[in-house]
Amino acid sequence: MRESLEDRGFPEADGGRERRASGPPFRQALVLVLGALALAAVTAAPVAADYGVDTSDSVTRPAGQPGGEARTRVIGGSGTNASAFPWQVALVLDSRFAGNDYERQFCGGSLITPYIVVTAAHCLFDTDPDCADPPRPCGSDPGGDGSLALDDTDVDVVVGRTTLSGTGGAEESVYISGVYINGAYDPSTARGDLGYLTLANPITAQARIDIVDRNNLRAWRAGAPTRVTGYGLTETAVGANKSDTLQLATVPIIADAGCANPFVYGSFFFRRVQICAGFFEGGIDSCQGDSGGPLQTAAGAASGATRLVGVVSFGSGCAEQNKPGVYTRLAQNPFCEAVIANVDQIEQAEGVPPAGQEAVVGPAGCSDKQFTLKKRCKKKKSSAAAVRKKRCGRKKKGRKRR
């Protein structure tokens, strides 16, 4: 389920993804207070208190719980093996709902610590299957809180499984009240489309993924190849099915200016918190069922390891011309530092044992490069040296050659 622009009034969203496929439920969505983000004034400063998470309803884990040392198809892509992407998560409805894991899958995610999955907020925000029929809010929400948000009792997490209807990998339930939604998430614009699930027990048999760090800036420059994986739709025909087998597609990063073009997404694209990847000619894209899944670096990245660049968020249709995929941008601040702070707060509130607490960003840390504006001096024929000096600042003197 990659969110469609149709529900947000996008003028060219005909054929867009139906946002409310079979969605899951939620007991009490805890709000990640990322504040209003003050997007126009974001700086390179460290994460402030406004970026924290609301952990007032978090439940402390029992003492002695084991720590880290214990124990939907992409369009135009191809099948792959979960062993190549062991952090890939499938969000599936709990077994009390009909069908197997393939039939109950509705979104994706990434395992970023043994206890925590990062996904898209719109996968959690109003997807309670007990509330799928009007009138809303729902009158009956067994085991839930009566809201439209996803209940922890209604969703399970599958990690490291190539074929969802088969076996292998790990399947784990969500911890009590372990559903967290980005407080800055705006359903009308998809800004802040970020959420977390915490697991009842750690998953340690599967490798997890870190966010790309500042030493690999080329990973999200325009034209850089990235890989998107998921179990979502593989075609756009009416009635098309999601993929039972994990799918992979390689898509290049698109320049922010290109994605913000009025003929692409225009004002629906927010470059400071979103990133585009795909092809203007269409044909290859993430789609419904892939939401929340990873946009990750291509093989052979500078870090030597696959890193997380973004989270599948939305698009107008799937693989359509001039409508590439839009992803929540994790590779740079403000969200890179925010994820670090959010994870720390969740771990402290839930009492995750130290052995289960791990870094979520590559060793070099987060990058602020996106927000570094370079001043350019426009030379004029009539400009005096003093005028140019005032406009552009004094240049550093280089060492003279001898």
Side-chain angles (χ1 to χ4, degrees):
M1 165 175 108
R2 192 177 82 181
E3 188 177 25
S4 170
L5 285 174
E6 190 171 19
D7 293 330
R8 297 196 269 128
F10 192 78
E12 299 180 69
D14 294 336
R17 284 147 238 190
E18 177 58 34
R19 202 176 155 211
R20 187 169 305 291
S22 55
F26 140 126
R27 173 171 297 170
Q28 192 166 5
L30 301 181
V31 178
L32 298 185
V33 186
L34 301 186
L37 280 183
L39 296 178
V42 170
T43 68
V47 173
D50 288 345
Y51 285 78
V53 295
D54 179 0
T55 55
S56 59
D57 291 328
S58 297
V59 177
T60 303
R61 296 171 183 269
Q65 186 168 14
E69 79 279 12
R71 45 174 237 259
T72 313
R73 165 173 150 180
V74 174
I75 291 181
S78 58
T80 188
N81 196 294
S83 62
F85 303 94
W87 46 81
Q88 172 73 48
V89 166
L91 304 188
V92 301
L93 295 180
D94 184 75
S95 58
R96 71 183 176 87
F97 294 93
N100 56 36
D101 285 342
Y102 159 62
E103 295 164 327
R104 300 195 308 270
Q105 187 270 344
F106 62 94
C107 268
S110 300
L111 187 69
I112 57 172
T113 83
Y115 282 98
I116 299 177
V117 169
V118 65
T119 185
H122 76 263
C123 292
L124 315 174
F125 179 69
D126 60 354
T127 51
D128 190 328
D130 294 313
C131 306
D133 299 320
R136 306 190 74 172
C138 57
S140 176
D141 188 12
D145 63 354
S147 76
L148 304 182
L150 181 69
D151 296 306
D152 57 83
T153 55
D154 292 331
V155 59
D156 292 330
V157 168
V158 178
V159 186
R161 184 179 299 172
T162 299
T163 303
L164 285 178
S165 62
T167 58
E171 184 163 354
E172 187 55 62
S173 58
V174 173
Y175 188 59
I176 303 168
S177 296
V179 182
Y180 298 80
I181 297 176
N182 178 355
Y185 173 54
D186 182 352
S188 67
T189 64
R191 282 187 293 184
D193 195 5
L194 189 66
Y196 306 87
L197 295 172
T198 57
L199 307 179
N201 295 292
I203 294 178
T204 58
Q206 304 294 329
R208 43 174 210 85
I209 188 170
D210 288 336
I211 297 172
V212 66
D213 64 26
R214 70 175 72 215
N215 281 349
N216 199 8
L217 299 180
R218 289 178 293 179
W220 63 87
R221 289 179 179 171
T226 57
R227 297 175 291 179
V228 59
T229 49
Y231 301 93
L233 294 179
T234 58
E235 54 184 85
T236 57
V238 176
N241 294 319
K242 295 175 295 180
S243 177
D244 190 15
T245 302
L246 184 63
Q247 297 290 305
L248 161 70
T250 299
V251 288
I253 295 294
I254 292 176
D256 292 342
C259 206
N261 186 295
F263 294 99
V264 184
Y265 287 114
S267 61
F268 281 86
F269 176 70
F270 300 89
R271 66 183 67 197
R272 295 194 175 185
V273 292
Q274 296 170 339
I275 192 168
C276 272
F279 299 90
F280 286 124
E281 61 268 30
I284 301 177
D285 197 6
S286 54
C287 197
Q288 187 181 41
D290 295 321
S291 277
L295 178 71
Q296 53 225 316
T297 56
S303 65
T306 300
R307 304 291 192 197
L308 190 61
V309 176
V311 170
V312 179
S313 182
F314 73 88
S316 180
C318 297
E320 294 184 3
Q321 186 176 15
N322 290 330
K323 293 296 180 282
V326 180
Y327 302 78
T328 300
R329 188 190 291 259
L330 298 187
Q332 296 159 311
N333 288 326
F335 278 131
C336 181
E337 291 281 1
V339 171
I340 295 174
N342 298 160
V343 167
D344 180 65
Q345 287 180 301
I346 292 171
E347 289 175 337
Q348 297 306 313
E350 292 190 358
V352 173
Q357 300 177 22
E358 299 184 15
V360 295
V361 179
C366 297
S367 171
D368 296 313
K369 192 170 181 65
Q370 180 189 6
F371 306 114
T372 302
L373 302 178
K374 294 181 178 180
K375 295 182 180 180
R376 295 183 179 180
C377 179
K378 295 182 179 180
K379 294 182 179 181
K380 295 182 180 181
K381 293 181 180 179
S382 59
S383 295
V387 174
R388 286 191 284 108
K389 179 179 176 182
K390 182 178 180 181
R391 289 180 179 175
C392 304
R394 185 185 300 273
K395 293 184 178 180
K396 293 182 179 180
K397 294 182 179 181
R399 182 176 296 178
K400 292 183 179 180
R401 281 186 168 180
R402 297 186 182 277

